[in-house]
Amino acid sequence: MKQKQILFMHFSYWLLVIGNGLMSILVHNNARFSIFTITIFLASLLGFYANYFFVVPKFFNPKKFYMMIIGFFVGVFVFVLFRYSIEEIILPAITGKRNYGKGTTLLYYFYDNIYYSSLTVFVSTNLWFFKYYFKIENERTKLIEERKHAQLQALKTQINPHFIFNSLNNIYSLVYQDSDKALPAIEKLSELLRYSTKDLEKDVISLDKEIGYIESLIGLEKLRIKNPELLVVEKRVQNPKFNISPMLLVPFVENAFKHGDFREKGFNLKVSEENNVLHFYLHNFKNQRAKDTASGIGIENVKKRLEILYPKSHNLNIKDMESEFIVDLKITFPHESH
């Protein structure tokens, strides 16, 4: 878009120059004048782009202002040199006509054309500045996006080892108890890992796939819980193909299983999506006997990702009470995200 704006400014300037030249011909109605209108136009065109492509980039230095002043006068000299060559050398050789009297020196020609050249050099220089700062802005925006992407990738790689660590602890417990649930648990974990290693590389996955992760995780955890019926899950999704960053909701569920009390209490999970708004609600009771000083790693991770991905379109409310933990998250998706 900005490249088109630059081209439009160039086009507008030359349209104005040509319009001014045609108006001068109509007003003066003089064939001789029209010849020199053409020659000054050619000199302006050559001087404009010589200054635009070569002089300004060579002399531009924000730390040395005097270099830009020198560059301006070099641009003026280039314009005058082009005009002098066309009007005092080439044109007389072809038509026998010249703009100035015979014997006019280049020094006088330069002095007399400072006014005419200044506008051309000034506009050319400013258009180059527009192009330069548009380029800097584009590079800055690209750098910010790359930094965000790198940060997200780093955050996502933190989730996977944390997820594996929690799951292996659960399976270790089943194996230690010589439970017949150990093998199904290993099989479910391998399925989860196949999904996660494939989809964590993506920027987004479908909402139903993210919910599928959660359901698989709950299925894995049910194998070790004595009262699996205490895990209440409600799902109401209008657009299952909505795009969402992978493993954005899973850490909340991981945290509930890691620190939850499932002896006589379970948890209540509700996931709904309606009218472009995702609502994730999780209420679980905390295990008072097992305090983990390193808890909350996954949740802090999600908070950072939400700030990057949905800076003004999410609302995360976490209530960390003595015996209960509640997560209430709402994300408003853009209409084109599905």
Side-chain angles (χ1 to χ4, degrees):
M1 179 59 70
K2 289 176 181 177
Q3 184 65 29
K4 290 181 180 180
Q5 291 174 341
I6 293 291
L7 292 174
F8 178 75
M9 285 189 280
H10 280 259
F11 176 78
S12 299
Y13 174 72
W14 289 114
L15 191 64
L16 186 63
V17 169
I18 293 170
N20 182 62
L22 293 173
M23 186 64 68
S24 298
I25 293 173
L26 291 174
V27 171
H28 290 83
N29 193 25
N30 190 313
R32 181 178 180 276
F33 182 85
S34 66
I35 292 175
F36 293 108
T37 299
I38 294 172
T39 59
I40 195 172
F41 173 78
L42 290 175
S44 296
L45 186 68
L46 294 171
F48 185 99
Y49 286 107
N51 183 70
Y52 185 85
F53 288 113
F54 302 107
V55 178
V56 181
K58 181 72 175 177
F59 286 89
F60 175 69
N61 189 336
K63 296 180 180 179
K64 296 180 180 178
F65 186 69
Y66 70 89
M67 288 293 292
M68 291 189 283
I69 296 176
I70 294 172
F72 178 81
F73 284 105
V74 170
V76 169
F77 178 77
V78 169
F79 170 91
V80 175
L81 190 62
F82 277 126
R83 190 177 183 192
Y84 182 85
S85 300
I86 294 169
E87 293 186 347
E88 305 302 318
I89 298 175
I90 298 174
L91 190 64
I94 297 174
T95 66
K97 295 178 180 180
R98 63 174 66 245
N99 195 14
Y100 286 69
K102 191 174 182 179
T104 299
T105 63
L106 180 60
L107 182 62
Y108 177 82
Y109 202 92
F110 179 83
Y111 168 77
D112 201 44
N113 278 274
I114 288 177
Y115 169 78
Y116 296 105
S117 60
S118 293
L119 178 61
T120 298
V121 174
F122 177 78
V123 174
S124 173
T125 301
N126 277 278
L127 285 179
W128 185 88
F129 281 142
F130 274 117
K131 184 184 76 168
Y132 174 78
Y133 284 111
F134 280 158
K135 180 184 176 184
I136 293 297
E137 185 181 344
N138 286 336
E139 289 176 351
R140 184 178 64 85
T141 302
K142 185 178 179 182
L143 183 63
I144 291 172
E145 291 301 318
E146 288 176 351
R147 188 179 301 163
K148 282 184 178 181
H149 180 72
Q151 188 175 357
L152 283 171
Q153 290 301 110
L155 289 171
K156 285 196 290 188
T157 56
Q158 290 176 17
I159 293 173
N160 203 19
H162 186 60
F163 170 74
I164 295 171
F165 178 77
N166 290 343
S167 299
L168 286 176
N169 271 345
N170 296 338
I171 294 173
Y172 174 81
S173 176
L174 292 173
V175 172
Y176 183 79
Q177 297 169 17
D178 196 21
S179 170
D180 57 359
K181 297 178 181 179
L183 286 178
I186 294 172
E187 185 179 353
K188 283 186 176 293
L189 176 60
S190 66
E191 290 175 3
L192 284 169
L193 290 179
R194 276 197 297 270
Y195 287 135
S196 63
T197 52
K198 179 181 177 181
D199 291 323
L200 270 176
E201 297 176 357
K202 301 176 182 178
D203 292 330
V204 293
I205 60 173
S206 62
L207 179 58
D208 61 341
K209 186 167 284 189
E210 177 76 0
I211 295 173
Y213 285 152
I214 293 172
E215 291 174 334
S216 296
L217 178 59
I218 292 173
L220 181 63
E221 294 291 345
K222 279 183 176 180
L223 295 174
R224 71 175 181 89
I225 293 174
K226 293 181 179 179
N227 302 306
E229 69 277 0
L230 295 177
L231 307 183
V232 179
V233 179
E234 298 178 38
K235 181 177 67 173
R236 189 177 72 255
V237 177
Q238 197 175 69
N239 298 296
K241 298 305 177 184
F242 246 114
N243 287 332
I244 189 171
S245 181
M247 293 292 187
L248 193 65
L249 305 177
V250 172
F252 293 120
V253 182
E254 284 184 318
N255 184 74
F257 282 119
K258 185 177 181 182
H259 307 289
D261 183 357
F262 299 101
R263 290 169 300 169
E264 297 179 358
K265 302 173 182 176
F267 75 7
N268 184 11
L269 173 63
K270 297 178 182 178
V271 183
S272 64
E273 182 281 317
E274 189 175 4
N275 298 324
N276 289 36
V277 178
L278 171 66
H279 187 195
F280 177 90
Y281 176 87
L282 177 60
H283 178 201
N284 70 281
F285 293 89
K286 296 163 72 172
N287 188 346
Q288 300 299 312
R289 297 182 301 172
K291 296 290 185 180
D292 188 348
T293 56
S295 64
I297 296 173
I299 290 178
E300 288 303 315
N301 188 306
V302 174
K303 286 180 180 178
K304 293 176 183 177
R305 293 174 68 199
L306 286 169
E307 288 297 327
I308 295 172
L309 293 165
Y310 311 103
K312 295 181 181 180
S313 56
H314 82 278
N315 182 31
L316 176 62
N317 185 19
I318 295 177
K319 294 181 181 179
D320 190 357
M321 296 170 281
E322 181 66 24
S323 60
E324 298 175 62
F325 194 85
I326 299 174
V327 176
D328 194 343
L329 170 64
K330 289 183 180 179
I331 302 174
T332 302
F333 293 101
H335 287 278
E336 64 272 17
S337 66
H338 65 286

